[in-house]
């Protein structure tokens, strides 16, 4: 769908935002394609691209293998050295990464912790890892800020973590704390909602306007919803807590989805001591022990019931499963599809597809970085010029 620009000089920033947004989400477009999509004239697009190149947000290059007659239209790509830091604090580890404007995770560090970190510990560890990763960036790097994907209820207006039950956090001004510690502009959001944005922009949901993303991790199950192409956040930004819905057939009355579909239970029954996601997935896929098979089947049944309810209520075109939920889906694809179809209304089931998250373990880092890039896309020149590029002392 075309994104219309405007030729008036008074809306240059709007046009700059339009162009960098198209380049970021596509991974690169020819200048002629940008002209067609924005409705701007060629000289205006050329000037806007030149400004993005000057800001360090884009690069221009000739397409490879061009054999057409005449001068080919240059390709405009997001600059890989325009980066955001991304952090995902969890109950067992804090992961910090560097993500380029091209949505590629350049590097990351996972620091394991013995117990759920306090907000102060999470900020201290994050600041240390940011400093470490920052020292490895080239001098030409343009650092745009830091985004955090937190497993909890995050107030969208100010990045305050109102409640992260598994971390034990309540009313934590996490965005402000990170900004003070790193001297970077910081944004904070719910991890699963950011995962939904990442999959919508760069993963399995590319081109899909209505999808539901469910993430299974150490802190339980969270969800994010894209409706009409926009993230559905609710009045405070707290929407999508699928893991806290009750499920029928649980051994304990009142148990929630994340009580029953649970990574710790899988690790225990599969005798997998490590928390490496690849190791857990291989154990799920190769399980032969009767108890392990029974537990996998039970969790698949519970998850399928939740998916039926989700599809009946929201009528998405796509349901994306991330984290250990993706491993369950791969292990029982046909059975899960059958179970979901049993009680889903026919027309809704005909409209929906179920898929595993395409971005793998990097999904939450990419989603956290999108918090930063989203602000840059709104006003590239203002944000870039406002962010200090010198190392944190």
């Amino acid at each position: 769908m075309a994104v219309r620009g405007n030729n008036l000089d008074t809306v240059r920033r709007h046009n700059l935002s339009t162009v960098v947004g198209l380049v970021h989400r596509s991974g690169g477009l020819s200048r002629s394609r940008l002209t067609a999509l924005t409705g701007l004239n060629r000289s205006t697009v050329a000037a806007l691209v030149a400004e993005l190149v000057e800001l360090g947000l884009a690069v221009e290059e000739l397409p490879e293998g061009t054999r057409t007659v005449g001068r080919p239209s240059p390709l405009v790509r997001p600059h890989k050295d325009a980066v955001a830091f991304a952090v995902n604090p969890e109950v067992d580890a804090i992961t910090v990464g560097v993500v380029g404007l091209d949505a590629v995770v350049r590097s990351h560090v996972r620091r394991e912790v013995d117990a759920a970190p306090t907000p102060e510990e999470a900020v201290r560890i994050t600041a240390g890892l940011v400093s470490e990763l920052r020292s490895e960036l080239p001098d030409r790097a343009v650092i745009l800020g830091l985004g955090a994907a937190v497993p909890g209820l995050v107030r969208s207006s100010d990045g305050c973590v109102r409640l992260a039950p598994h971390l034990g956090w309540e009313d934590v001004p996490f965005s402000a704390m990170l900004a003070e510690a790193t001297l970077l502009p910081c944004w904070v959001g719910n991890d699963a909602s950011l995962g939904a944005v990442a999959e919508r922009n760069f993963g399995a949901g590319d081109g899909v306007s209505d999808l539901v993303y469910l993430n299974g991790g150490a802190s339980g199950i969270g969800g994010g919803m894209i409706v009409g192409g926009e993230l559905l956040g609710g009045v405070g930004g707290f929407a999508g807590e699928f893991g806290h819905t009750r499920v029928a057939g649980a051994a304990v009355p009142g148990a929630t989805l994340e009580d029953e579909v649970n990574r710790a239970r899988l690790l225990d029954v599969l005798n997998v001591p490590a928390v490496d996601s690849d190791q857990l997935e291989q154990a799920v896929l190769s399980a032969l022990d009767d108890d392990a098979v029974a537990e996998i089947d039970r969790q698949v049944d519970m998850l399928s019931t939740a998916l039926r309810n989700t599809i009946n209520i929201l009528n998405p075109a796509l349901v994306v499963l991330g984290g250990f939920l993706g491993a369950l889906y791969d292990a029982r694809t046909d059975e899960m599809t059958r179970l979901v179809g049993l009680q889903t209304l026919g027309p809704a089931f005909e409209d929906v597809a179920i898929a595993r998250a395409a971005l793998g373990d990097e999904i939450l880092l990419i989603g956290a970085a999108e918090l930063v890039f989203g602000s840059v896309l709104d006003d590239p020149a203002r944000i870039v010029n406002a962010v200090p590029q010198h190392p944190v002392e």
Side-chain angles (χ1 to χ4, degrees):
M1 182 178 69
V3 182
R4 307 306 293 181
N6 194 303
N7 280 310
L8 299 176
D9 290 338
T10 54
V11 291
R12 178 187 59 83
R13 288 181 181 272
H14 164 76
N15 292 336
L16 202 64
S17 173
T18 298
V19 172
V20 74
L22 287 167
V23 171
H24 167 59
R25 285 184 289 271
S26 67
L29 292 167
S30 69
R31 217 196 283 169
S32 60
R33 183 61 178 157
L34 286 169
T35 300
L37 289 172
T38 61
L40 300 168
N41 62 49
R42 287 183 295 176
S43 61
T44 299
V45 169
L48 292 169
V49 169
E51 184 169 355
L52 291 174
V53 171
E54 179 66 23
L55 290 170
L57 298 179
V59 292
E60 270 195 304
E61 56 191 42
L62 291 176
E64 296 181 3
T66 301
R67 298 182 181 276
T68 57
V69 177
R71 185 178 180 181
S73 179
L75 289 175
V76 184
R77 300 189 186 278
H79 202 307
K80 67 177 183 178
D81 289 329
V83 302
F85 291 104
V87 57
N88 173 220
E90 265 287 7
V91 298
D92 57 352
I94 294 173
T95 303
V96 177
V98 177
V99 185
L101 191 59
D102 54 1
V104 174
V105 178
R106 294 188 51 169
S107 61
H108 73 278
V109 179
R110 186 177 189 271
R111 182 67 50 81
E112 294 187 4
V113 292
D114 294 330
T118 66
E120 292 76 16
E121 289 170 336
V123 169
R124 176 179 56 79
I125 293 172
T126 297
L129 293 178
V130 166
S131 180
E132 177 183 322
L133 291 170
R134 190 170 191 170
S135 67
E136 300 172 358
L137 292 174
D139 293 339
R140 64 180 179 276
V142 178
I143 300 169
L144 301 171
L146 183 149
V150 176
L153 303 181
V154 180
R155 188 163 59 204
S156 55
S157 60
D158 60 1
C160 175
V161 180
R162 291 298 314 280
L163 180 65
H166 296 281
L167 290 172
W169 298 3
E170 189 170 352
D171 291 325
V172 175
F174 198 49
S175 180
M177 292 171 67
L178 286 171
E180 181 179 1
T182 63
L183 302 182
L184 291 170
C186 296
W187 293 265
V188 179
N190 171 263
D191 57 352
S193 291
L194 296 176
V197 171
E199 283 292 326
R200 164 65 175 82
N201 289 346
F202 308 109
D206 184 22
V208 178
S209 61
D210 292 86
L211 68 83
V212 175
Y213 171 71
L214 293 182
N215 181 66
S219 291
I221 295 175
M225 298 163 286
I226 304 293
V227 177
E230 301 292 333
L231 180 66
L232 181 63
V235 65
F238 309 144
E241 291 297 326
F242 292 94
H244 291 277
T245 57
R246 293 187 178 185
V247 291
V252 179
T256 64
L257 178 63
E258 65 181 32
D259 292 329
E260 296 298 317
V261 182
N262 186 279
R263 190 184 72 159
R265 286 192 178 195
L266 288 175
L267 291 171
D268 182 56
V269 76
L270 292 166
N271 293 315
V272 180
V275 294
D276 180 83
S277 58
D278 290 336
Q279 187 175 355
L280 174 58
E281 178 173 349
Q282 288 305 313
V284 170
L285 292 174
S286 61
L288 296 175
D289 177 77
D290 289 345
D291 290 341
V293 170
E295 178 62 18
I296 292 169
D297 289 341
R298 190 192 65 79
Q299 292 203 23
V300 166
D301 183 60
M302 292 284 184
L303 179 59
S304 298
T305 299
L307 295 185
R308 293 198 297 261
N309 294 333
T310 298
I311 294 166
N312 282 334
I313 293 170
L314 294 172
N315 186 211
L318 179 66
V319 174
V320 182
L321 301 175
F324 77 89
L325 303 184
L328 290 175
Y329 178 68
D330 273 1
R332 300 289 190 275
T333 303
D334 292 342
E335 178 64 5
M336 188 178 293
T337 303
R338 184 188 71 81
L339 290 171
V340 171
L342 284 178
Q343 294 181 11
T344 303
L345 295 174
F349 186 63
E350 291 172 4
D351 288 342
V352 74
I354 303 173
R356 184 167 189 180
L359 300 177
D361 290 343
E362 296 181 338
I363 183 171
L364 297 184
L365 294 179
I366 294 173
E370 282 298 283
L371 279 174
V372 180
F373 296 146
S375 297
V376 173
L377 301 185
D378 285 341
D379 195 348
R382 179 181 65 83
I383 295 294
V384 171
N385 292 328
V387 178
Q389 300 304 313
H390 58 79
V392 175
E393 297 296 335

